[in-house]
Amino acid sequence: MGESVLDTGSYFPVGDITVLTICVVFIILLSLSYVTKSRLYSVFKFVIGLLMAAAFISILYHYGTMNPGSMPVKLVYTLRILFHFTLLGNLYFYVIYLRIILHLHERKYKVLTGISFAVYIALIMLEILSIALGFGFNLNETGAKNTGIDTFVIGYLYFVIIIMIMLIVHRNRIFKQIVYSIIMVAIVSFLVLLRQAAYGHASFTTVSFLLPLFAVMYLVHSNPYDVDIGSLDAGSFNDYIDYYHKREKMLVLMSLYMKDFDTDSIKYPKEIREAIRRFAGEFYQGATLFQVAPGRMILVADIEKNANYEHIINIMLNRFQEIYPRYRHDYKIVIMKSRSVISENKDYVKLIKHIEASMEENTVHYFQPEDLESFKRKRFIIEQLEDIANKRNLNDERVIVYCQPVFNIKAGRYDTAEALMRIRLPEIGMIYPNEFIPLAEESGLIHSLSLVILHKTCMAVKNLLDEGYRIERISVNVSIMEMHEAGFCSSISKVIKDSGVPFDKIAIEITESQNEEDFIMVKEKIDVLKEQGMKFYLDDFGTGYSNLERIMELPFDIIKFDRSLVIACTTGSTSEMMVSYMARMFSEMKYSVLYEGVETEEDEEQCLKMSAKYLQGFKYSKPIPIENLKNYMDKTA
């Protein structure tokens, strides 16, 4: 019988002591730093525990084999079995670990882990039987070791082969550098075992099992703090919330938003970093700080560990107000306790942003139940908008087309209108543009809605034409944001073409942009669509910064003067002179001038004196369902 090359021969405990020491360091780092509390992490901790047990047992076992008579022979046998039990268990849990990290959820991989567990148990039982029946490891009367069948080597080779196959076959399921690193470290570990076997040593067996732990710790579970502030990132924040939510623990959250640093290119200055770091560690016990976005920090603490959290909040806010005059950067602070419905959807950052949208600068807001209700409404609307976009149904019943008739002064009749979008949702009812348009723009869903209203408008125009009504055109509003889409012109053209309506019966209304890049892009898109016969309106002229030179470079057909200009004309002769001058200038340059927001006889008279060609407003009609537009229009003779 020969000696096992893996656990006999020359032995010094330095290797196992090193493993124990490093595993203790791992445990300290894991307990004092933040690591995602997932199932993967639980398996990783178990692997560390098994390796510590193996190193400790290895010291006892080798002491017994190197000092015959120092302990009962049966105890030596038991220690050997436990040593191999923990090492092979370590390898088995690596198989479990890889199945999780590689997302191998299929039934066949559950069978694989089941077979591996059966092999693991069978090998341990075989070792027990081999010792009991004398065909395996044994010690003779002189203390000499005979190996016999070495079940550990069989088990080691089996698990290493299984692990390598899993890594190589499924290497595309995770970041390739992680896969290659783990494979290379595993090869180094194997070479360590071969090297010690070649020299007849047994001191570095557990060390070879430690090396993959280093790789996994660094590549997968390393989640370092920001050194300057002591914060973690947004991904860690979501994991943290999920961990405490599953354990039904309540948290207190304090969010600090500073708009001056809401960009990756501007970092917190040193004095603010120091202040944030002090606030994160000075007040709450066990608090964790997260930087979830540029300029946005969230401090989270376990209420169970901080029963006096409300008192702590007051102290922190008082201290904040004391030091604020030194920095003078605008801020918004939101304070709240965790809520199950928000934790489940990991929506805290979105909820906080929603609350901040209605806050003034340099204020503190304590979460109120109505905040959650308005946020849930907003989230539901966005979900519905996403569903509308995903279904791509141009006849979606949730999108309702209203319109406001426009009076043609020269013709003396209503022959144009502006299409206006509404959304009607279950449980909520009718929703108006001032609520859903900003959400659609922020979520990148606005173009899908525009195509639906364009299609429905085209169908309404077609019906009016088929019934013999005189209609010049109907305008549809589009956002500058959606014009950035590569297929904007083609998608607009397709909807109009498919409807069978002449292109000149549809107009697009856009608002002016101050962005030079937008200006160039908009001009290109307008040129493409005007070649097909479409008309273009400049909407809301007079509501903000207007560059007349740019306006004149864009081939608009109609300039819509905002109601604010109509009102301004009543405030004094200077305002009236300026508006009249601009309107006359546009008219002489062959633009048509449309005044919107005309509500009274006085408004109408004023606009007629100022080169008006079209009038729109409540004096003529409030927004109406587009199918009622025929009540305002004349039929051809």
Side-chain angles (χ1 to χ4, degrees), residues 7 54 57-58 62 79-87 205-206:
D7 61 357
I57 293 169
S58 175
H62 284 100
L79 289 172
R80 176 188 171 88
I81 292 169
L82 290 175
F83 180 44
H84 291 171
F85 177 83
T86 51
L87 287 180
T205 301
T206 56

Side-chain angles (χ1 to χ4, degrees), residues 316-328:
M316 293 179 70
L317 291 177
N318 290 335
R319 184 75 61 83
F320 182 85
Q321 293 301 331
E322 290 175 5
I323 67 172
Y324 171 70
R326 302 180 201 169
Y327 310 119
R328 286 294 176 186

Side-chain angles (χ1 to χ4, degrees), residues 401-405 420 621-629 632:
V401 183
Y402 273 57
C403 70
Q404 190 169 33
L420 303 167
S621 173
K622 293 183 178 181
I624 57 174
I626 197 165
E627 55 267 23
N628 296 341
L629 184 57
Y632 288 78

Side-chain angles (χ1 to χ4, degrees), residues 436-468:
F436 70 80
I437 292 295
L439 299 181
E441 290 182 336
E442 291 170 10
S443 307
L445 304 169
I446 188 63
H447 189 51
S448 298
L449 295 179
S450 294
L451 293 180
V452 176
I453 190 175
L454 177 62
H455 168 75
K456 292 192 173 187
T457 299
C458 286
M459 300 314 297
V461 171
K462 188 174 188 305
N463 290 336
L464 289 169
L465 292 173
D466 289 345
E467 294 177 21

Side-chain angles (χ1 to χ4, degrees), residues 547-556 585-586 589 591:
N547 187 319
L548 292 177
E549 182 180 358
R550 281 185 177 176
I551 292 174
M552 293 172 186
E553 288 185 46
L554 294 173
F556 289 113
M585 177 187 67
F586 284 128
M589 296 179 66
Y591 294 99

Side-chain angles (χ1 to χ4, degrees), residues 314-585:
N314 291 329
I315 295 175
M316 293 179 70
L317 291 177
N318 290 335
R319 184 75 61 83
F320 182 85
Q321 293 301 331
E322 290 175 5
I323 67 172
Y324 171 70
R326 302 180 201 169
Y327 310 119
R328 286 294 176 186
H329 289 283
D330 289 336
Y331 67 87
K332 293 181 181 180
I333 295 176
V334 177
I335 300 170
M336 64 181 299
K337 291 195 296 185
S338 57
R339 295 289 191 280
S340 293
V341 66
I342 303 301
S343 297
E344 288 170 2
N345 295 285
K346 299 180 181 178
D347 273 346
Y348 283 100
V349 176
K350 292 180 181 177
L351 172 60
I352 290 168
K353 288 182 178 180
H354 172 74
I355 294 172
E356 289 172 349
S358 59
M359 290 174 61
E360 296 182 359
E361 294 292 345
N362 306 316
T363 58
V364 178
H365 180 88
Y366 289 86
F367 175 84
Q368 301 297 324
E370 52 266 29
D371 294 329
L372 181 56
E373 291 306 311
S374 63
F375 175 71
K376 287 166 64 176
R377 175 186 173 93
K378 173 183 176 181
R379 187 172 62 190
F380 177 73
I381 293 172
I382 292 176
E383 289 171 353
Q384 291 291 305
L385 296 179
E386 289 174 343
D387 188 60
I388 292 171
N390 292 333
K391 288 184 175 177
R392 299 181 180 180
N393 177 12
L394 295 179
N395 293 304
D396 199 302
E397 294 182 354
R398 289 167 290 186
V399 181
I400 310 297
V401 183
Y402 273 57
C403 70
Q404 190 169 33
V406 175
F407 187 72
N408 184 331
I409 296 171
K410 183 177 180 180
R413 62 175 180 264
Y414 297 97
D415 57 9
T416 68
E418 176 185 3
L420 303 167
M421 185 166 17
R422 306 284 187 266
I423 302 290
R424 186 161 54 213
L425 300 179
E427 301 177 13
I428 293 182
M430 193 74 78
I431 306 173
Y432 294 92
N434 62 328
E435 183 174 8
F436 70 80
I437 292 295
L439 299 181
E441 290 182 336
E442 291 170 10
S443 307
L445 304 169
I446 188 63
H447 189 51
S448 298
L449 295 179
S450 294
L451 293 180
V452 176
I453 190 175
L454 177 62
H455 168 75
K456 292 192 173 187
T457 299
C458 286
M459 300 314 297
V461 171
K462 188 174 188 305
N463 290 336
L464 289 169
L465 292 173
D466 289 345
E467 294 177 21
Y469 287 95
R470 289 194 289 193
I471 178 168
E472 192 69 23
R473 78 186 72 86
I474 295 182
S475 62
V476 176
N477 289 275
V478 301
S479 166
I480 291 288
M481 295 178 62
E482 62 182 296
M483 296 183 77
H484 281 280
E485 297 194 19
F488 173 80
C489 290
S490 59
S491 60
I492 294 289
S493 297
K494 184 178 187 307
V495 170
I496 300 174
K497 184 177 180 180
D498 290 348
S499 72
V501 172
F503 275 82
D504 64 355
K505 298 298 181 183
I506 300 296
I508 286 181
E509 295 192 21
I510 60 174
T511 54
E512 183 192 6
S513 171
Q514 298 181 33
N515 185 291
E516 180 68 26
E517 184 178 325
D518 282 351
F519 170 76
I520 297 171
M521 176 272 299
V522 168
K523 188 175 187 305
E524 292 174 351
K525 299 292 173 70
I526 291 177
D527 287 339
V528 170
L529 292 174
K530 279 187 74 70
E531 286 181 4
Q532 300 179 55
M534 292 187 67
K535 303 290 185 181
F536 278 83
Y537 292 24
L538 173 63
D539 194 16
D540 296 333
F541 176 73
T543 58
Y545 174 83
S546 292
N547 187 319
L548 292 177
E549 182 180 358
R550 281 185 177 176
I551 292 174
M552 293 172 186
E553 288 185 46
L554 294 173
F556 289 113
D557 300 284
I558 295 176
I559 308 294
K560 293 186 71 172
F561 278 49
D562 187 72
R563 171 163 173 76
S564 61
L565 294 181
V566 178
I567 295 173
C569 291
T570 64
T571 62
S573 58
T574 302
S575 297
E576 181 181 355
M577 184 182 303
M578 291 180 64
V579 174
S580 297
Y581 173 78
M582 287 188 292
R584 187 170 63 253
M585 177 187 67

